[in-house]
Amino acid sequence: MQFGWLTLALSPSPEEDAARIAQQIEQVCTAERLGFSDVWLTEHYFTGESVYNDSLMFAAALAMKTSRIRIGFAVVQTPFHHPVRLAVQLALLDNLTNGRIDVGIGKGTVYNEYEFVGHGLRSHDSRERMEEAVEILERAWRGKPFRYDGKFHKVDVPELRPKPVQQPGPPLWRSVISPGSFTECGKLGVPILTARLPVARIKERWALYEAGLIAGGHDAAKRARLLAQSALWRNVYVAESDAQAEDELAALLTETRHHMMHVREAFNPPDFTPGPETLNPWTDPKVADGEAIPYVLSTGSLYGSPKRVREQVAELRDVGVRHLLCQTGFGAMSHERNIASMRRFGEQVMSAFGTTQARSVA
C-alpha cells in the first residue's frame, strides 16, 4: 500500500496564522521523512481553514522544502482561478518539483457559499466554470497556440511556457462519491479521490471504476496503475490506547464541526441552502453532535492504538484499497499532538504494509 497525507487543519485566530502555516510546512517535511508518498492540499478561504488559503503558493514553498513526496491538490476550486493563469502556475510547480504535481479538480465548495461571494461569484454556474477550466488547462499544456471562445473565458494564447515536466500535463484527478461518477471517471481514464465511503461500499465502487476503465478501452497496464492509485480519504488518529484515541478524536471533531456550522451560519447568504443530496449527519446542521460524531467516527475515521489502526488499515487493504490519504490534523489541534500521531502511524502502522515510494503517474 501507499499512504498520502492530507492537511485540513484550522488556525483558531489571525494571530496564530503565521505560526500555523510554518507548522504545516514542518508537518509536510515530517510526512516525507516518515515515508508518505504524497501530500494533498485543500483550498478554503476567510475563516482559518486551510490557513494558507492559496494552495498553489503554499505548494511552491513545499517544492523548495521537499525532494521526493508528490504534491497534490484536493481540490483546486476552479471557479476561483483564471484558467490560463492556473495552467501557468501548475506548469511552473511541475517544473519546480521535477514532475511531482497531482491536480484534483473541483467545482467549488457545496457548503461554503460565502467563499463564492468573497470572490464576486455565486455557485449556480460552478460546474460550467469547472468544465471550461479543464478544457483550457488541457489545451494550454499541449504547448501549442490556441484560441478559446467560451461562456466565461475568451482567450487567444500564443504558447504556454514553461511546459509541464509531466506530459501531456500534471494528472487531473476527480473527487467522486456517486456510483455513476466512478464509472464515468473510469471511462475517461482519470485518477480518482473519494472520502467517507463506508467499508461495505468500497469493493462495489472500485468494481464500477474498473468496469468503466474496461468500457473506456484502456489497456491492462493503465487499468492496473489507475486502480492502484485510486485514493480513499480517512481521518487518522493514533494514540497510546484505543480509549484515549476515541475520546481525543471525538473532542477534536466536535470542535471542528462547531466551527464549520458557526461560519456557515454567520457568513452564508440568506438565499443559500446546500442541496439536500449533499447533506449527511456530519454536514447537516439539524443533526445533533450525539449522532454526527459517531457517524464520522464509523464511516470516515481510523483511530486507536497502533495495533487497532493496523487492523483497520488491513480491512481497507482487503477490500481493494491500495492508496490511503490520511488527514491527521483536526480543528485547532496542536502541532505537537499532530506530529505524535503522525509518528505513531508512520513508524508503527505504515511499516506493516510495505509502503512504496512516490509513484509515477505521468
Side-chain angles (χ1 to χ4, degrees):
M1 291 183 72
Q2 63 187 56
F3 297 87
W5 185 84
L6 185 143
T7 174
L8 186 53
L10 165 71
S11 174
S13 70
E15 293 72 27
E16 292 188 47
D17 286 354
R20 294 280 180 160
I21 291 168
Q23 289 168 0
Q24 290 198 9
I25 292 174
E26 184 177 339
Q27 289 160 17
V28 171
C29 293
T30 298
E32 181 172 68
R33 289 193 297 270
L34 288 170
F36 285 87
S37 62
D38 37 352
V39 56
W40 294 82
L41 309 178
T42 52
E43 180 184 357
H44 288 292
Y45 296 88
F46 312 130
T47 63
E49 301 167 73
S50 303
V51 58
Y52 44 76
N53 284 201
D54 189 329
S55 58
L56 298 165
M57 285 195 70
F58 190 63
L62 298 181
M64 299 296 97
K65 293 283 189 177
T66 61
S67 60
R68 177 189 57 79
I69 200 166
R70 292 187 68 85
I71 300 172
F73 301 93
V75 296
V76 174
Q77 299 200 59
T78 51
F80 304 156
H81 302 268
H82 189 286
V84 173
R85 180 161 178 77
L86 181 61
V88 171
Q89 290 172 306
L90 290 168
L92 174 58
L93 283 170
D94 208 44
N95 279 266
L96 292 174
T97 61
N98 193 28
R100 290 189 282 133
I101 295 298
D102 291 299
V103 186
I105 290 293
K107 64 184 182 66
T109 170
V110 297
Y111 303 111
N112 303 345
E113 187 72 3
Y114 60 82
E115 295 189 44
F116 282 90
V117 174
H119 285 85
L121 302 170
R122 294 302 299 266
S123 62
H124 64 277
D125 56 9
S126 60
R127 183 168 295 280
E128 293 176 282
R129 289 179 179 275
M130 178 187 73
E131 290 168 353
E132 277 201 11
V134 169
E135 186 170 351
I136 291 171
L137 285 174
E138 292 179 335
R139 292 183 66 178
W141 286 338
R142 291 173 194 155
K144 299 185 181 302
F146 74 96
R147 179 175 296 172
Y148 186 87
D149 187 2
K151 179 178 179 180
F152 306 104
H153 302 286
K154 302 180 189 304
V155 300
D156 194 345
V157 179
E159 182 182 14
L160 187 80
R161 293 181 63 182
K163 294 180 181 178
V165 171
Q166 300 177 94
Q167 285 295 318
L172 294 178
W173 296 59
R174 296 295 178 92
S175 177
V176 294
I177 191 64
S178 69
S181 296
F182 280 85
T183 303
E184 182 60 26
C185 286
K187 289 178 180 177
L188 295 172
V190 297
I192 57 171
L193 308 158
T194 192
R196 208 161 290 122
L197 185 65
V199 174
R201 299 270 75 84
I202 292 172
K203 186 176 288 188
E204 165 199 308
R205 296 290 200 274
W206 260 233
L208 289 172
Y209 183 56
E210 184 172 22
L213 289 168
I214 293 170
H218 305 289
D219 62 47
K222 184 173 182 178
R223 296 200 305 268
R225 173 171 58 81
L226 287 169
L227 282 166
Q229 71 187 51
S230 300
L232 179 72
W233 175 354
R234 284 289 195 259
N235 301 325
V236 173
Y237 188 67
V238 189
E240 293 182 357
S241 71
D242 295 346
Q244 178 189 1
E246 182 167 356
D247 290 346
E248 292 180 352
L249 180 57
L252 290 164
L253 291 172
T254 300
E255 177 187 82
T256 302
R257 189 170 192 260
H258 288 178
H259 166 83
M260 182 174 72
M261 296 305 176
H262 167 71
V263 297
R264 290 171 186 171
E265 182 179 3
F267 301 128
N268 275 343
D271 64 348
F272 172 75
T273 303
E277 74 282 357
T278 69
L279 296 176
N280 57 50
W282 170 250
T283 58
D284 190 339
K286 299 183 180 67
V287 176
D289 290 342
E291 180 181 347
I293 301 306
Y295 167 81
V296 77
L297 287 174
S298 63
T299 62
S301 305
L302 310 176
Y303 61 95
S305 65
K307 177 179 182 296
R308 180 181 178 186
V309 176
R310 283 195 299 271
E311 293 168 352
Q312 294 169 333
V313 173
E315 181 181 33
L316 294 175
R317 176 201 60 196
D318 292 346
V319 294
V321 176
R322 295 292 178 268
H323 186 191
L324 181 66
L325 304 188
C326 305
Q327 178 185 339
T328 63
F330 317 94
M333 177 182 184
S334 74
H335 173 65
E336 293 74 21
R337 190 189 292 186
N338 194 342
I339 290 289
S341 176
M342 288 175 66
R343 288 192 182 283
R344 290 189 186 100
F345 186 82
E347 294 169 0
Q348 300 182 58
V349 178
M350 282 169 49
S351 57
F353 293 90
T355 58
T356 64
Q357 295 298 308
R359 69 199 181 288
S360 171
V361 295

